[in-house]
Amino acid sequence: MNKTVKIILEVLLLAVCAGLVYLIYSSIMQPVNFNKQRDYRSSVAIQRLKDIRTLQVAYKSVNGRFVSTADSLKDFYENGKMSIIMQVGSTDDSLAMAHTEKIRRANRKITGEKLLEMYQKGDKNLVFSVETKIPVKDTLFKNREDFCIDSLAYIPFSGGERVQMEAITKMVSGVPVPLFEARMPYKLLLKGLDNQLRINLDAERRDQNKYEGLQVGSVTAPNNNAGNWE
C-alpha cells in the first residue's frame, strides 16, 4: 500500500469516526433539546392560560357566567368595567371615625357615593368604603409589560392556531355551575419539534389518563379552574 492510499484511508476513517461521534451525540442530545424546548414553550403557554383564567374569572364576577371565545374576553378587557370596593380613610383614625359617624347620625340615608363626593370636595376627615366601577384594562394586568391582549386567542409557537375554549353551565348536585376550559394540545404547541418525540409524549400522557397538552379549567367537572400543570 503506497503512502497516498494510506493517507486517503486514514482520512476516510477519521471522517467515518467523526460521523459516528456526531450521530451518537445527536441521538443523545435530541431528547435533551426536545425537553428543553418543551419546557420553554410550556412556560409561555402556561402564562397565557393563566391570563385567560384571570379574565374568565373577572368576566364571571360581572356577568355570572364564563365565555367560550377569546374574542369575548378581549372585548371585555378593552370595553368592560368591574366593580371594586374603594376604602377611603383608616378605621384606626379615631377623629375621622367620630367625624364620619356624626355625619351618618345626622343623615341615616347617606350613601357611600355621597361621602365620596364630600371627600372629593375637600372633606378629607372621612372613613368609608364605596363600590365603584372602573375599566377592566385599568385593573387587570396593569403592571404587566409583557401582556398583549391580541395574543390571548392563539397557541404560542403554533403558527396562528387558536386556543381551544369551551364554556357551559352544568347542573352539579342540583345547582347550576358555570364551567370553562381552555386547551393547548402538544400537537400544536410543540409544532416544528421532533414529531416522534412529541408522539411519544402524547402516548405517555394518554397512558397516565392525562390530557395531551396544557389545559386550564374543566367543563367535565368543577375543579376550581385549576391548570393541569398545577
Side-chain angles (χ1 to χ4, degrees):
M1 183 182 297
N2 61 47
K3 187 175 181 181
T4 302
V5 173
K6 183 178 180 182
I7 292 173
I8 293 174
L9 290 175
E10 288 177 348
V11 170
L12 289 175
L13 183 59
L14 285 173
V16 170
C17 290
L20 289 174
V21 169
Y22 175 78
L23 289 175
I24 293 171
Y25 177 79
S26 296
S27 66
I28 294 173
M29 291 305 297
Q30 194 169 20
V32 173
N33 292 332
F34 176 85
N35 290 336
K36 185 182 296 185
Q37 273 295 310
R38 181 197 63 189
D39 291 345
Y40 169 67
R41 294 190 182 194
S42 293
S43 68
V44 176
I46 286 170
Q47 183 59 64
R48 193 161 300 177
L49 289 172
K50 286 180 177 180
D51 292 344
I52 288 173
R53 174 170 60 190
T54 296
L55 278 168
Q56 284 279 23
V57 171
Y59 185 95
K60 178 177 175 289
S61 72
V62 175
N63 300 285
R65 60 184 177 86
F66 295 118
V67 291
S68 59
T69 68
D71 292 336
S72 297
L73 292 179
K74 179 181 177 180
D75 180 69
F76 173 67
Y77 175 77
E78 294 179 333
N79 304 303
K81 291 187 176 183
M82 293 176 61
S83 295
I84 65 166
I85 302 299
M86 178 188 298
Q87 177 64 41
V88 178
S90 171
T91 55
D92 294 331
D93 188 337
S94 57
L95 291 177
M97 288 291 291
H99 176 62
T100 306
E101 184 59 28
K102 182 178 178 181
I103 293 173
R104 290 188 183 278
R105 283 198 303 267
N107 183 359
R108 296 290 183 182
K109 294 184 180 180
I110 195 168
T111 62
E113 287 79 7
K114 181 61 178 177
L115 289 172
L116 180 61
E117 181 182 337
M118 293 169 62
Y119 180 84
Q120 291 171 337
K121 287 181 177 180
D123 189 351
K124 305 301 183 182
N125 200 27
L126 293 169
V127 180
F128 63 94
S129 60
V130 60
E131 183 177 0
T132 186
K133 291 184 180 294
I134 62 174
V136 173
K137 61 183 178 182
D138 290 343
T139 306
L140 300 181
F141 315 117
K142 189 175 180 180
N143 298 317
R144 276 269 307 283
E145 294 183 0
D146 65 332
F147 178 75
C148 177
I149 189 63
D150 292 324
S151 300
L152 196 74
Y154 303 100
I155 299 172
F157 312 103
S158 70
E161 298 287 348
R162 295 179 72 89
V163 176
Q164 300 169 3
M165 198 179 308
E166 296 179 62
I168 64 171
T169 297
K170 185 174 184 177
M171 297 300 293
V172 180
S173 300
V175 178
V177 177
L179 302 171
F180 90 94
E181 69 180 40
R183 303 182 302 275
M184 295 184 184
Y186 284 137
K187 184 177 182 179
L188 301 178
L189 178 62
L190 304 182
K191 183 180 289 188
L193 300 184
D194 187 282
N195 193 52
Q196 186 58 55
L197 291 176
R198 196 272 308 163
I199 290 173
N200 295 345
L201 176 61
D202 283 352
E204 180 182 337
R205 300 284 291 186
R206 284 194 300 271
D207 290 343
Q208 297 171 351
N209 199 28
K210 295 179 179 179
Y211 173 63
E212 302 105 75
L214 297 173
Q215 176 180 323
V216 65
S218 173
V219 295
T220 304
N223 70 346
N224 200 30
N225 306 322
N228 66 349
W229 63 88
E230 295 174 318

